[in-house]
Amino acid sequence: MSAFAFVFPGQGSQSVGMLDAWGGHPAVVQALQEASDALGEDLGALIQNGPKETLALTANTQPVMLVAGVAAWRVWQAEGGAMPMAVAGHSLGEYSALVAAGVLTLSQAAPLVRLRGAAMQEAVPVGAGAMAAVLGLDADKVKAVCAQVTAQLGGTEVVEAVNFNDPGQTVIAGSKAAVEAASLAVKEAGAKRALPLPVSAPFHSSLMKPAAEKLKLALAELQLAAPQIPVLNNIDVAMPTDADAIRDALYRQAFGPVRWVECVQRLRALGATHLVECGPGKVLTGMTKRIDPELVGVALYDPATLQETKEAIA
């Protein structure tokens, strides 16, 4: 069997009806029930019916993406899938990874990510922050431009590199004026494009610090278990096993960068030959190919891809 790791997607991969293809698989039904009971809301109805705009609200997106990733993971287990060598998740996906590894229960994680989403939205008013994807410019150059623009604008205007998605894509975030200025500056520095992202807050920027403080209080009240599978985190590209260290990493992740390129490289260095994207979409699978063409990226989101995944890693 090939050495493989599971990776879980974050915000942006959600869609109305994204769990329909599982056809009421008992593991999916159970996951939806657990998360719905924990939130006092029917997440299954929200996912099935939407509308898209409601699903896109970050306080909703975070719990529905969490449960979608966990549901696919539980189907994998129920259908006799082997245990991966490690798990990781992109941004919010790290919470799905922690549930898969047994650190958090789904009943703990669902209210936690809803709080995370709501706190992030409250930290910066809608329209005051922005994010943009910078294409075709080295990440170090993007960071340098962001530092330069922040210094030039001064005051409360800030822009930072926050998602290192693949060698040709770095996402920037911060105050609206600073992101707009940086989007022009990166193109002058050689970037092919700077695409504004349809998001409601500048995720992973230092402007999210107030949200992180609320998250920190909630994390302190939760009992965390030792990981049953190594979990590679975004913020340090490390695999802590101590509960306090895991809490601290989640706290810092809320206002720190997603180091996804390094995460994929680390999984490769640990011996993984296949990365299985567990949950809706193929965003991470595409990133995998661009980060390391020798790694095989596989998506797992319905019965057909479940079978494909089993065959790929056999």
Side-chain angles (χ1 to χ4, degrees), residues 53 80 84 95 112 131 159 168 198 217 224 228 231 248 280 303 308:
E53 294 73 21
Y95 288 80
L112 186 64
M131 298 181 77
V159 58
L217 293 174
L224 272 56
Q228 296 166 12
V231 183
D248 182 59
E308 288 171 11

Side-chain angles (χ1 to χ4, degrees), residues 22 48-49 53 61 64 95 100 118 126 132 143 147-148 191 199 201 205 224 241-242 266 271 278 283 287 305 307 312:
W22 287 118
Q48 189 168 32
N49 304 322
E53 294 73 21
T61 308
V64 299
Y95 288 80
V126 175
K143 287 196 286 185
Q148 186 178 17
V199 295
S205 73
L224 272 56
T241 57
D242 174 74
R266 178 73 188 279
C278 187
V283 172
M287 289 181 191
T305 54
Q307 188 57 38

Side-chain angles (χ1 to χ4, degrees), residues 232 236-239 261-272:
L232 183 65
D236 301 316
V237 195
M239 295 175 165
V261 172
E262 292 173 87
C263 285
V264 172
Q265 291 169 338
R266 178 73 188 279
L267 291 170
R268 175 78 162 135
L270 290 169

Side-chain angles (χ1 to χ4, degrees), residues 21-308:
W22 287 118
H25 191 288
V28 176
V29 173
Q30 183 189 25
L32 282 169
Q33 191 64 54
E34 282 179 40
S36 297
D37 288 348
L39 291 173
E41 177 187 346
D42 188 347
L43 284 188
L46 176 61
I47 292 170
Q48 189 168 32
N49 304 322
K52 180 181 176 181
E53 294 73 21
T54 304
L55 213 59
L57 295 172
T58 190
N60 290 332
T61 308
Q62 299 209 20
V64 299
M65 280 302 299
L66 168 81
V67 75
V70 171
W73 164 254
R74 289 188 177 177
V75 172
W76 172 257
Q77 289 184 300
E79 299 299 327
M83 291 290 273
M85 58 181 286
V87 293
H90 187 283
S91 183
L92 166 70
E94 192 167 302
Y95 288 80
S96 300
L98 287 164
V99 173
V103 175
L104 288 167
T105 66
L106 183 53
S107 297
Q108 287 176 315
L112 186 64
V113 298
R114 167 147 285 175
L115 179 147
R116 182 178 183 266
M120 284 177 162
Q121 194 57 76
E122 290 164 7
V124 179
V126 175
M131 298 181 77
V134 179
L135 307 180
L137 188 64
D138 179 78
D140 286 338
K141 290 182 180 177
V142 176
K143 287 196 286 185
V145 168
C146 288
Q148 186 178 17
V149 169
T150 298
Q152 286 172 347
L153 294 177
T156 58
E157 303 293 347
V158 61
V159 58
E160 298 155 353
V162 297
N163 287 8
F164 299 95
N165 286 336
D166 66 45
Q169 184 193 115
T170 302
V171 175
I172 60 175
S175 56
K176 191 170 188 290
V179 170
E180 289 173 350
S183 294
L184 294 174
V186 292
K187 282 186 273 191
E188 290 173 3
K192 292 177 182 176
R193 302 179 75 183
L195 301 173
L197 298 179
V199 295
S200 56
F203 302 117
H204 295 290
S205 73
S206 57
L207 298 178
M208 292 289 103
K209 189 82 186 297
E213 295 302 330
K214 294 178 181 177
L215 186 63
K216 189 176 189 177
L217 293 174
L219 284 163
E221 296 177 2
L222 292 180
Q223 185 75 32
L224 272 56
Q228 296 166 12
I229 312 165
V231 183
L232 183 65
N233 69 29
N234 292 177
I235 192 69
D236 301 316
V237 195
M239 295 175 165
T241 57
D242 174 74
D244 286 338
I246 293 171
R247 288 189 189 94
D248 182 59
L250 289 174
Y251 160 69
R252 289 182 291 115
Q253 188 231 47
F255 63 96
V258 176
R259 298 164 61 186
W260 193 247
V261 172
E262 292 173 87
C263 285
V264 172
Q265 291 169 338
R266 178 73 188 279
L267 291 170
R268 175 78 162 135
L270 290 169
T273 59
H274 293 63
L275 292 192
V276 179
E277 180 173 4
C278 187
K282 298 181 179 180
V283 172
L284 301 185
T285 303
M287 289 181 191
T288 296
K289 292 172 184 173
R290 294 190 292 273
I291 294 168
D292 187 340
E294 292 186 9
L295 265 174
V296 179
V298 190
L300 168 59
Y301 54 84
D302 63 13
T305 54
L306 171 70
Q307 188 57 38
E308 288 171 11

